[in-house]
Amino acid sequence: AAPSAMNKQPWQFFATNDAKIIEAAAPKLGRSADMIAKAGAVIVVLGSPDVSEKFWMIDCSCATENILLAAEAMGLGAVWLSAYPNEERMNSINEAFGIPSEYKVLCIIPVGHPSGKDKEKDKWDKNKFHFNKW
């Protein structure tokens, strides 16, 4: 249900909760390997530049936000691990999960049950909000 420029919906999603797939992929994913290995599920958000060359990454960002909000509403923990625009990281994710190379990876989202160690971050900054005048 995410918004999409000109309603092109260039997104694709790869998801797995298969521990064997996740365990095999994790070591190939560098800095995120530990977090991914501990996840109960993984969602890879992909875009098709063939469908929307200029806006695929924006549309997929909107879809990613919806996934993160849905996970939170379900009492799950999820985090956006960036890939785009790092071509090496994008390619390693495609390879790790067997995703065709014509799809560009925006991010990977490990999903699991929160440990309770991490606390909500207050990201509100009144200096970044301007109302009626700058």
Side-chain angles (χ1 to χ4, degrees), residues 4-83:
S4 173
M6 297 171 280
N7 199 32
K8 291 200 174 186
Q9 302 177 26
W11 45 66
Q12 295 282 330
F13 307 93
F14 172 82
T16 184
N17 64 353
D18 185 318
K20 290 180 184 177
I21 293 172
I22 295 169
E23 285 175 23
K28 301 174 185 173
L29 301 176
R31 62 180 161 68
S32 307
D34 188 48
M35 191 180 303
I36 291 166
K38 292 177 183 175
V42 172
I43 302 168
V44 182
V45 181
L46 307 134
S48 175
D50 292 340
V51 173
S52 181
E53 182 181 1
K54 292 182 181 180
F55 299 110
W56 73 264
M57 74 291 297
I58 296 168
D59 290 354
C60 290
S61 294
C62 292
T64 299
E65 180 68 9
N66 282 6
I67 292 167
L68 295 170
L69 290 170
E72 177 73 19
M74 295 170 67
L76 298 171
V79 64
W80 178 324
L81 301 175
S82 63

Side-chain angles (χ1 to χ4, degrees), residues 65 79 119-128:
E65 180 68 9
V79 64
K119 302 298 178 202
E120 289 184 26
K121 294 179 179 105
D122 182 4
K123 295 183 180 183
W124 169 250
D125 181 348
K126 67 180 182 179
N127 296 314
K128 294 183 178 183

